[in-house]
Amino acid sequence: MMRTKFLILAVICVFTFSCKNDDDQDNQDQNAEDFAITNENNYYEGDLYRLYLDAQIEITNNEIISLEEQLEQDPNNVELQNMLDAANTELDELENAESNQIAIEATLLGVPRVPRIPPVPPMPCTAGACIPNILNYFTISSEILNITIVFRDMQTEEEIVTLQTNEFTSLNDFDNIISVSTIDFNGFTGDFIADIQRTDANNQVTNYSVSGYIYQ
């Protein structure tokens, strides 16, 4: 009788363990399906940052040109010279930041994502970020520790959606070089402005803003 009980218990344990393995595998398969990254369903946050850097570099270059022209007319103007020095320092910082971002993006080759360059007409995207409202995910480089992205309607300034997280799901298919966070624009289309704050692995906090269009 005791031997029979042990055999029954052993069968139950094997069955339970087998079911648990099946459940774990099902969960893993579900997670893999939940975060299946395609060209259409995700946008890389670093592309927003690049757009910001590109715009700021252009603005700063134009400021430097203007200051240099003014100094040609007034070469002894100390205030103008100080402003020019500050603008050149800012340009160096922006270009270094862009170089670092380009180096990060070099590891993302082959990672599918909505392209940074706006699609061709008739899409109403002429400048800034062009994002489909069917987007499911924002992909984020692994050097980012936490991030907040607040999307607002440019016309009304009302909040569309906020992505705020320090917990990301690593995408093992890409050697953990990017993580993912879900997002839902709730069917919104139109011009937007996004305010972004992110903290990297060096605990450096970066704040920037970009504008663009969310299309259907």
Side-chain angles (χ1 to χ4, degrees):
M1 176 66 69
M2 183 64 68
R3 183 177 180 183
T4 301
K5 288 183 177 179
F6 277 127
L7 287 173
I8 293 173
L9 180 61
V11 171
I12 292 173
C13 289
V14 169
F15 178 77
T16 303
F17 182 75
S18 176
C19 289
K20 184 178 187 303
N21 280 345
D22 289 343
D23 289 342
D24 288 345
Q25 184 62 49
D26 287 344
N27 288 336
Q28 290 176 4
D29 291 342
Q30 182 63 39
N31 287 337
E33 180 181 352
D34 286 346
F35 295 101
I37 299 303
T38 70
N39 281 319
E40 294 80 22
N41 72 0
N42 81 99
Y43 197 102
Y44 173 52
E45 177 272 334
D47 287 337
L48 293 180
Y49 189 43
R50 278 284 305 280
L51 287 169
Y52 162 78
L53 291 172
D54 290 345
Q56 292 303 117
I57 287 172
E58 182 177 358
I59 290 170
T60 306
N61 269 321
N62 290 336
E63 181 182 356
I64 288 171
I65 292 171
S66 176
L67 289 169
E68 288 175 340
E69 290 175 349
Q70 293 178 62
L71 276 169
E72 287 181 2
Q73 304 299 321
D74 189 5
N76 296 320
N77 191 316
V78 176
E79 183 179 358
L80 284 175
Q81 184 61 56
N82 290 337
M83 293 172 63
L84 178 60
D85 292 342
N88 278 312
T89 298
E90 181 180 0
L91 181 62
D92 288 341
E93 293 174 353
L94 289 167
E95 289 179 339
N96 286 336
E98 185 167 56
S99 295
N100 291 336
Q101 186 62 38
I102 291 172
I104 292 169
E105 291 178 12
T107 66
L108 298 175
L109 291 176
V111 178
R113 66 186 195 270
V114 174
R116 186 166 63 91
I117 300 173
V120 298
M123 292 298 182
C125 302
T126 57
C130 194
I131 300 177
N133 69 354
I134 59 171
L135 203 69
N136 299 118
Y137 313 116
F138 255 82
T139 41
I140 296 142
S141 300
S142 59
E143 86 281 357
I144 302 300
L145 299 182
N146 59 69
I147 191 165
T148 299
I149 308 177
V150 181
F151 287 91
R152 299 185 187 280
D153 185 329
M154 186 177 288
Q155 305 301 322
T156 66
E157 298 186 357
E158 291 182 359
E159 181 180 330
I160 304 168
V161 65
T162 293
L163 185 159
Q164 183 176 24
T165 186
N166 60 0
E167 297 180 359
F168 307 106
T169 300
S170 296
L171 299 177
N172 295 322
D173 289 345
F174 304 106
D175 299 324
N176 293 318
I177 58 176
I178 58 174
S179 300
V180 66
S181 183
T182 58
I183 192 167
D184 185 355
F185 289 113
N186 299 311
F188 174 87
T189 60
D191 294 305
F192 75 87
I193 186 165
D195 297 315
I196 300 99
Q197 180 181 83
R198 65 179 189 170
T199 304
D200 64 21
N202 297 318
N203 288 318
Q204 179 178 351
V205 178
T206 301
N207 292 280
Y208 68 96
S209 297
V210 294
S211 60
Y213 192 90
I214 297 174
Y215 65 91
Q216 186 170 9

